[in-house]
Amino acid sequence: MRKKILAANWKMNLTHSEALSYFETFLSEIGQVNDLEVVIIPPFTAIPALVLASEKMPAIRIGAQNMHWEKSGAFTGEVSGAMLRALYVKYVIVGHSERRMLFGETDEIVNRKTKAALEAGLRPILCVGETLQERDSNLIEKVLRKQISEGLEDVAPKDQPEIVVAYEPIWAIGTGRTANPAEAEQAHAFIRSVLSELCGAPTADRIRIQYGGSVKPENAEDLMRQKNIDGALVGGASLDPRSFARIIWRTEAALS
Ligand code: PGA
C-alpha cells in the first residue's frame, strides 16, 4: 500500500510571518491527519519557521522548492541539499516545469539534482509533464519516458523507492484546466510502466506518483480515487489554508 502524499507548492508566495499565520489556520482546520503524508513546500525563507512550528506533527513535513547539485562553493544565490537537510527538510522538488521553462533546467540538470538530493538524505519530488502542443501531437509517452529515464539515470536501486514522481501536465498548471481523472490515470499508469522497466516491478510498485495541475477541493476526490494516483502537488489552491485542508479531507474521503 502506497501512503498518499499531498504537497503544497507555494512557489514565490508568502513571507515567513504569513507562513506562520497560514500554518496556525491550517492546523486548526485539518485536525488529526491519519494515513497520509502532508508536505508544505514554502519559499526558502519560511522553512526554518515552519520546521519549528511543525516539530510535534509527524504527519506534516516541510519541503523545499529547489536546490543546487553541488555540496558547497562559489554558486551565488544557491542552496545545497546538506543545508536543507540540516534544517530537517525532508522533500525537495526537482524539475518543476517553471524551473525547466523559466530557468533553463534540462533533464541532465534535473538528474544531477535528483542524485544530490538523495545523497543529502532528501526525497526528491521529480516533476514531469507534457506541454499542450506535445499532447496534441501525441508525444505524451515519448516526453514522459525521456524525462523519467534521464531524470533517474544512475540513481542507485536502494534510493529508487525514496523518489516521488509528480505528473504535472504543463497545460493544467495554474490554468484552471485539470486532466480528467481518466486522462490522469492513463498517464500515471504509463509512468508506472516506465518505472517498472527502469527499476523493476516491485520498486515501481512502491514509488508514489502525484498528480499536479489545478487540483482543488472540487476535483481532488475523483483524482485521488484512481489506482495509480498516489497524491497531489498543489499550487494555487494550497495558498489558502482552508482550501488545502479541504483537499486533504477529500483525499481522506477517497481512501475510505
Ligand atoms: P497549480 O500548480 O495547482 O496552481 O496548477 C501546481 C504546480 O505547479 O505544482
Side-chain angles (χ1 to χ4, degrees):
M1 228 345 230
R2 297 179 293 266
K3 194 178 232 186
K4 290 226 187 313
I5 173 166
L6 293 174
N9 174 13
W10 289 359
K11 311 191 178 182
M12 197 172 72
N13 294 290
L14 306 191
T15 64
H16 77 285
S17 50
E18 288 165 343
L20 282 175
S21 55
Y22 171 109
F23 198 66
E24 212 174 293
T25 312
F26 178 64
L27 284 188
S28 66
E29 290 286 318
I30 50 167
Q32 189 76 22
V33 181
N34 297 315
D35 304 325
L36 35 99
E37 214 176 334
V38 174
V39 190
I40 309 268
I41 311 180
F44 291 130
T45 47
I47 289 177
L50 287 181
V51 166
L52 270 178
S54 62
E55 218 172 26
K56 298 213 166 61
M57 270 144 291
I60 301 178
R61 308 281 198 168
I62 306 303
Q65 298 174 16
N66 183 31
M67 60 173 273
H68 196 270
W69 61 86
E70 292 289 351
K71 289 193 175 80
S72 62
F75 301 101
T76 302
E78 295 292 328
V79 166
S80 76
M83 292 170 187
L84 296 171
R85 196 62 202 122
L87 285 174
Y88 302 102
V89 163
K90 190 69 202 161
Y91 288 91
V92 61
I93 299 177
V94 292
H96 190 281
S97 59
E98 285 150 19
R99 301 281 331 161
R100 291 178 191 259
M101 289 187 310
L102 304 172
F103 302 96
E105 288 192 9
T106 59
D107 286 315
E108 191 201 333
I109 291 175
V110 173
N111 176 244
R112 284 194 210 168
K113 292 187 177 191
T114 302
K115 288 185 291 192
L118 290 162
E119 205 182 313
L122 298 164
R123 292 186 175 150
I125 299 179
L126 169 65
C127 299
V128 298
E130 80 287 355
T131 62
L132 190 56
Q133 202 188 3
E134 287 161 345
R135 171 165 281 250
D136 289 342
S137 323
N138 259 330
L139 291 172
I140 304 182
E141 297 195 348
K142 186 165 174 236
V143 170
L144 293 179
R145 181 184 293 281
K146 177 176 185 302
Q147 290 175 338
I148 295 165
S149 55
E150 294 185 15
L152 295 184
E153 202 170 300
D154 296 327
V155 168
K158 71 165 176 39
D159 290 335
Q160 289 163 347
E162 301 290 315
I163 288 164
V164 175
V165 176
Y167 170 61
E168 298 206 306
I170 293 168
W171 48 273
I173 295 181
T175 57
R177 258 187 85 178
T178 332
N180 67 45
E183 279 172 333
E185 170 59 20
Q186 198 181 359
H188 281 233
F190 175 73
I191 290 171
R192 201 170 307 283
S193 73
V194 174
L195 290 172
S196 182
E197 284 167 34
L198 296 170
C199 317
T203 299
D205 256 355
R206 290 172 62 193
I207 297 179
R208 293 173 295 175
I209 309 172
Q210 296 177 306
Y211 172 78
S214 298
V215 174
K216 22 185 196 282
E218 296 73 33
N219 58 24
E221 187 171 339
D222 282 345
L223 286 163
M224 294 309 127
R225 279 192 192 285
Q226 305 303 310
K227 189 165 156 250
N228 285 290
I229 301 188
D230 309 311
L233 182 55
V234 189
S238 78
L239 287 173
D240 170 0
R242 291 185 180 83
S243 101
F244 189 47
R246 275 162 55 216
I247 291 172
I248 292 169
W249 298 336
R250 298 326 304 159
T251 304
E252 285 175 335
L255 290 174
S256 59

